[in-house]
């Protein structure tokens, strides 16, 4: 698990605890509302167990807050650049996207056959 993921888990757990105590609920009360054990609530709050998206949504409903509440005031470790596609992956993505836009079944079949044929020739050339 990355440092950022661990920090987010810890932050979300702290926010769950803060909101629960602001509402005057015990871990037992929240656990009963979620139909889980109080130990599980404790593990969420300490960051020992990760909270799934579905469970976080349910917790937000029970604690009467928006899901975004749990991420407020969370500072990223560092500013990260957006992930870029590699050259080969980018061309594959574009090929699949364009292929998916071909509506005529006969043309799709022909394009598929052409790609298979070209790929086969390329494999033969590389192994020779």
């Amino acid at each position: 698990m990355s440092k950022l993921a661990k920090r987010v888990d810890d932050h979300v757990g702290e926010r769950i605890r803060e909101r629960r105590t602001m509402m005057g609920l015990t871990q037992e009360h929240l656990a009963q509302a979620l139909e889980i054990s109080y130990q599980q609530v404790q593990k969420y709050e300490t960051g020992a167990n990760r909270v799934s998206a579905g469970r976080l949504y349910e917790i937000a409903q029970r604690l009467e807050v928006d899901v975004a509440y749990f991420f407020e005031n969370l500072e990223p470790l560092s500013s990260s650049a957006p992930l870029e596609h590699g050259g080969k992956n980018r061309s594959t993505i574009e090929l699949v996207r364009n292929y998916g836009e071909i509506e005529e079944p006969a043309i799709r079949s022909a394009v598929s056959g052409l790609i298979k044929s070209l790929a086969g020739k390329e494999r033969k050339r590389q192994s020779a």
Side-chain angles (χ1 to χ4, degrees):
M1 179 185 320
S2 72
K3 287 182 183 180
L4 180 58
K6 177 64 176 145
R7 233 178 89 235
V8 171
D9 291 345
D10 290 345
H11 182 81
V12 168
E14 288 172 22
R15 297 291 287 173
I16 292 170
R17 181 183 309 114
E18 285 174 17
R19 181 63 183 166
R20 176 183 57 75
T21 55
M22 281 174 42
M23 293 184 72
L25 299 173
T26 65
Q27 288 179 342
E28 184 71 29
H29 290 131
L30 181 57
Q32 287 173 351
L34 297 170
E35 299 179 358
I36 59 176
S37 69
Y38 79 90
Q39 291 97 334
Q40 186 61 48
V41 171
Q42 187 175 47
K43 289 177 183 180
Y44 288 154
E45 290 183 353
T46 61
N49 282 10
R50 302 190 93 175
V51 183
S52 71
R55 179 67 76 195
L56 189 60
Y57 183 81
E58 190 177 8
I59 291 170
Q61 287 185 318
R62 299 292 185 222
L63 296 180
E64 301 173 359
V65 292
D66 194 59
V67 173
Y69 169 86
F70 300 110
F71 300 97
E72 290 174 359
N73 304 319
L74 179 65
E75 298 293 326
L77 283 178
S78 63
S79 60
S80 59
L83 297 176
E84 295 184 24
H85 295 288
K88 185 175 180 181
N89 291 339
R90 181 68 176 174
S91 62
T92 302
I93 291 168
E94 289 176 7
L95 177 67
V96 170
R97 184 177 296 135
N98 292 330
Y99 179 82
E101 292 178 8
I102 300 171
E103 294 180 12
E104 182 66 38
I107 295 174
R108 284 178 72 124
S109 179
V111 169
S112 178
L114 174 64
I115 293 170
K116 288 177 186 175
S117 175
L118 291 172
K121 288 180 183 177
E122 185 67 23
R123 279 192 292 267
K124 287 180 184 175
R125 199 171 15 170
Q126 288 176 352
S127 64

